[in-house]
Amino acid sequence: MNDERKPLVATNTESASPTAPQAEEANSLAQEEQERSEETARRLAKLQALRAEGFDPFLIERYVRTHTASELTDETAAHWTLPDEQREQLEVSVAGRLTAQRVKGKVIFADIRDQSGRIQVYARRDDLGETVFERFKDLDLGDFVGVKGYPFKTRTGEPTIHVREFTLLAKSLRPIPFGKQDAEGVVHGGLSDREERYRHRYLDLLVNPTSREVLTKRCKIVSAMRRYLDARGFLEVETPVLQLVAGGAAARPFITHHNALDHDFKLRISLELYLKRLIIGGYEKVYEIGRVFRNEGISTRHNPEFTLMELYQAYANLEDIMELVEDMYVAIATEVNGSPHLEVFGHSINLAQRPWPRLPILEGIYENTGIRPEELTSLESAKAACRRIGVTFDLEKETNLGGLIEKLHEQYTQPKLIQPTFITDFPIETSPLAKRKPDNPALTRRFEIYIATQELGNAFSELNDPLDQRARFEAQVRQRAAGDEEAHPMDEEFLEAMEYGMPPTGGLGVGIDRLAMVLTGAESIRDVIFFPAMRPEKPHTPR
């Protein structure tokens, strides 16, 4: 039996014939790996020595804390109002990861960080005794430590714990790339490479406060959205991830095999069709926040696995959903950022300036290209207009009018959409689940919301005519047969449900990750996903 587990101490066994610069880089990387391996071996030896003395940190299951770091450093806390002699009688305890240590003869200043923040601790040999003091001195950065003592302030006024007792709670066997801070407070080294940060996100969270802040804010965005919808009578539900027909969007699904049912299933690409079944079943306001999976490319705005919120409201139309979007986005931004005003990607944006503009997609294209709406009534005339203005995308790949119109919008209008804007009246070919526009059946009652050039929502006055829906699906099937792999599949079960009757309904889908990008100012979608999809390392090399 082969054991493929990686050892704690790893060495680089690859060989190559590099150029001189490549050889220098390879030597540098090999030296770094060797240093990490040696440091890991040193830490392992420390652990073994502790165990030999009867001190095994991994046997500890619990540590009682009286305070978090932020509670102890809070200038308004009651312990700072006490006289020195009374404060010295207190016993407080904190626990966290050791992130800095400064030895000055017979005293040690160290930093302990928990989720709430950092606190300084002060250990003195005369208080702890020679043996315990040396054990504290022998701690490594990254170790988890529990500390008991009393709170005081140093001469510079920094809240600190005077250590009376400490407990090693867990040993860090690998060195953490904290980096080194110079006299100006700038950190050098550490974990700065983006790919490394995404691949080893746990280290990124440990050493890069900005990453922690962005991802924490992302969590708060989801919580704020959930509170907003719950307060307005929406019911949060759950629908299947594995589906026989993956519909509700234009995307290629991932496929997996269900062993118990002996059948291939698809991972959902949308939440839409099952949520609509709930509207048919009698619920009037439902939403779901869930993961969806689209087997497509990766970019700064796309990740194959992402979080989607979809809601459906019976007896509501597109304008009702517009008002909901405006109100919800203002509420979320205000709760998470403290203000509806955003400074993002170099732009100043005011979400509270309502109502947000409504711009029909064909008008936007005309304003930015000069192509008139009447030129976009057939695929042939649309391609001729595109040739006239010299579009840069491949016209031969465009097989339907709606797809070409949306491509023009993405290339020429979307980059201009800085302030919140609703783009409306999308073509029917790319909107198979939206009601037709009454005065122009080639267009639909659909909008997308754009902020800072990012698409942050897609909404319909939902199609509830089962006969029209069947015809739309049949048209999509023809597109699929013509080579469009992302065309919507036929879904007989959904059509059967619609035939029992569905009330007029407004629906909305919001990509949580892109919304988080705008509200945090993140440049890449991977910055707001805890563990984004990455190409596997071959072979895996531990840090």
Side-chain angles (χ1 to χ4, degrees):
M1 178 177 176
N2 293 327
D3 187 353
E4 297 182 351
R5 292 173 296 173
K6 297 298 182 181
L8 283 169
V9 182
T11 56
N12 189 348
T13 58
E14 291 187 20
S15 60
S17 301
T19 63
Q22 290 172 333
E24 183 177 346
E25 181 180 357
N27 289 335
S28 176
L29 291 173
Q31 183 177 352
E32 288 180 14
E33 180 61 29
Q34 180 65 24
E35 289 173 356
R36 286 200 297 265
S37 296
E38 291 173 356
E39 173 64 12
T40 297
R42 187 180 68 80
R43 292 180 179 218
L44 273 170
K46 284 186 180 183
L47 175 62
Q48 291 163 356
L50 285 170
R51 285 174 165 168
E53 295 176 24
F55 298 102
D56 187 344
F58 296 113
L59 294 179
I60 296 173
E61 297 183 18
R62 185 170 183 262
Y63 188 83
V64 178
R65 298 185 292 177
T66 62
H67 297 77
T68 64
S70 64
E71 289 169 345
L72 276 174
T73 55
D74 183 358
E75 294 289 346
T76 66
H79 48 259
W80 298 123
T81 67
L82 298 174
D84 291 348
E85 60 274 12
Q86 291 186 33
R87 203 178 326 106
E88 291 176 11
Q89 301 306 310
L90 296 176
E91 181 176 86
V92 299
S93 60
V94 297
R97 198 184 284 272
L98 188 72
T99 58
Q101 192 178 55
R102 301 168 291 280
V103 179
K104 299 181 179 179
K106 299 180 181 181
V107 301
I108 299 172
F109 286 92
D111 294 343
I112 291 177
R113 180 175 289 279
D114 62 17
Q115 182 175 321
S116 71
R118 177 195 70 89
I119 187 163
Q120 180 174 263
V121 300
Y122 167 79
R124 193 170 62 178
R125 187 170 66 180
D126 292 348
D127 297 326
L128 299 177
E130 181 74 28
T131 301
V132 176
F133 181 81
E134 289 300 318
R135 273 209 190 104
F136 193 94
K137 184 178 176 180
D138 206 33
L139 294 172
D140 290 306
L141 298 187
D143 289 351
F144 279 93
V145 184
V147 166
K148 292 181 181 179
Y150 64 86
F152 78 102
K153 290 185 178 180
T154 62
R155 292 176 183 173
T156 59
E158 180 168 1
T160 304
I161 298 177
H162 190 123
V163 180
R164 290 194 178 113
E165 176 188 318
F166 83 93
T167 305
L168 176 60
L169 302 174
K171 187 74 184 162
S172 173
L173 297 180
R174 294 188 187 275
I176 295 173
F178 285 114
K180 295 183 179 179
Q181 196 173 69
D182 61 22
E184 284 73 39
V186 178
V187 176
H188 299 275
L191 193 69
S192 57
D193 180 79
R194 276 184 175 270
E195 292 294 313
E196 283 286 288
R197 286 173 46 214
Y198 300 143
R199 197 175 297 281
H200 302 282
R201 180 66 90 185
Y202 49 92
L203 291 179
D204 182 35
L205 296 172
L206 277 176
V207 305
N208 293 321
T210 300
S211 294
R212 251 190 338 269
E213 292 166 7
V214 166
L215 287 162
T216 298
K217 189 173 284 189
R218 177 230 164 85
C219 295
K220 292 180 178 179
I221 289 167
V222 175
S223 296
M225 178 177 287
R226 183 173 275 118
R227 277 191 293 273
Y228 178 91
L229 294 173
D230 289 347
R232 283 150 185 83
F234 283 87
L235 180 69
E236 183 174 12
V237 299
E238 293 179 327
T239 60
V241 173
L242 298 178
Q243 302 179 352
L244 288 171
V245 178
R252 283 182 292 176
F254 290 90
I255 300 174
T256 188
H257 187 74
H258 195 304
N259 289 335
L261 298 179
D262 192 22
H263 200 286
D264 284 348
F265 279 74
K266 300 175 180 67
L267 274 66
R268 65 187 179 189
I269 60 174
S270 171
L271 311 175
E272 180 166 349
L273 300 189
Y274 278 92
L275 291 176
K276 285 182 175 178
R277 285 169 167 88
L278 296 179
I279 295 293
I280 293 167
Y283 291 100
E284 295 182 357
K285 286 184 172 183
V286 294
Y287 77 97
E288 181 173 8
I289 298 175
R291 305 292 273 184
V292 296
F293 310 85
R294 298 183 181 178
N295 202 352
E296 56 191 22
I298 296 175
S299 72
T300 56
R301 296 188 298 118
H302 298 88
N303 195 67
E305 177 184 3
F306 64 98
T307 302
L308 184 63
M309 186 286 291
E310 289 198 33
L311 66 82
Y312 293 86
Q313 180 176 346
Y315 314 112
N317 67 3
L318 204 64
E319 286 69 33
D320 295 320
I321 302 301
M322 285 180 176
E323 291 182 15
L324 184 148
V325 167
E326 290 176 341
D327 192 55
M328 181 171 67
Y329 283 27
V330 168
I332 293 171
T334 303
E335 181 174 336
V336 173
N337 288 338
S339 169
H341 298 263
L342 306 177
E343 296 294 331
V344 57
F345 310 145
H347 304 292
S348 181
I349 295 168
N350 181 10
L351 300 180
Q353 190 170 336
R354 299 166 58 185
W356 298 345
R358 278 77 162 148
L359 177 64
I361 191 170
L362 298 184
E363 288 186 19
I365 292 171
Y366 175 64
E367 289 177 6
N368 292 287
T369 68
I371 296 177
R372 300 182 304 278
E374 56 267 27
E375 295 181 274
L376 298 175
T377 55
S378 73
L379 185 59
E380 293 72 21
S381 63
K383 284 187 175 182
C386 288
R387 293 188 187 97
R388 187 182 77 243
I389 68 169
V391 298
T392 57
F393 55 85
D394 187 356
L395 284 173
E396 298 307 313
K397 292 183 178 180
E398 302 305 320
T399 58
N400 70 74
L401 178 61
L404 181 54
I405 289 172
E406 289 204 14
K407 187 67 69 68
L408 286 168
H409 161 74
E410 290 168 6
Q411 183 160 335
Y412 295 100
T413 305
Q414 183 173 343
K416 308 284 184 65
L417 301 175
I418 307 301
Q419 298 301 323
T421 305
F422 292 111
I423 298 295
T424 65
D425 301 351
F426 278 76
I428 195 167
E429 294 92 341
T430 54
S431 312
L433 295 158
K435 280 183 179 288
R436 296 176 189 267
K437 197 164 184 251
D439 59 349
N440 187 345
L443 304 176
T444 60
R445 293 275 290 151
R446 171 186 168 193
F447 75 72
E448 288 184 348
I449 174 61
Y450 289 85
I451 302 174
T453 76
Q454 302 295 305
E455 186 257 298
L456 298 183
N458 185 24
F460 311 152
S461 277
E462 302 293 339
L463 179 59
N464 62 338
D465 178 347
L467 303 179
D468 191 0
Q469 185 67 83
R470 179 176 291 279
R472 304 272 196 98
F473 280 174
E474 289 171 348
Q476 291 285 306
V477 169
R478 289 193 292 273
Q479 290 181 30
R480 183 179 287 265
D484 185 352
E485 295 181 5
E486 296 185 351
H488 200 288
M490 177 62 71
D491 191 335
E492 289 289 352
E493 286 191 7
F494 176 66
L495 288 171
E496 179 182 336
M498 285 192 72
E499 289 169 359
Y500 284 98
M502 175 177 158
T505 300
L508 169 69
V510 177
I512 297 293
D513 310 285
R514 282 209 205 133
L515 179 61
M517 284 178 64
V518 169
L519 293 184
T520 64
E523 296 179 355
S524 169
I525 196 169
R526 295 195 291 181
D527 290 333
V528 296
I529 297 174
F530 277 102
F531 300 102
M534 302 288 291
R535 190 185 303 278
E537 289 181 301
K538 294 183 180 180
H540 170 66
T541 303
R543 281 197 57 85

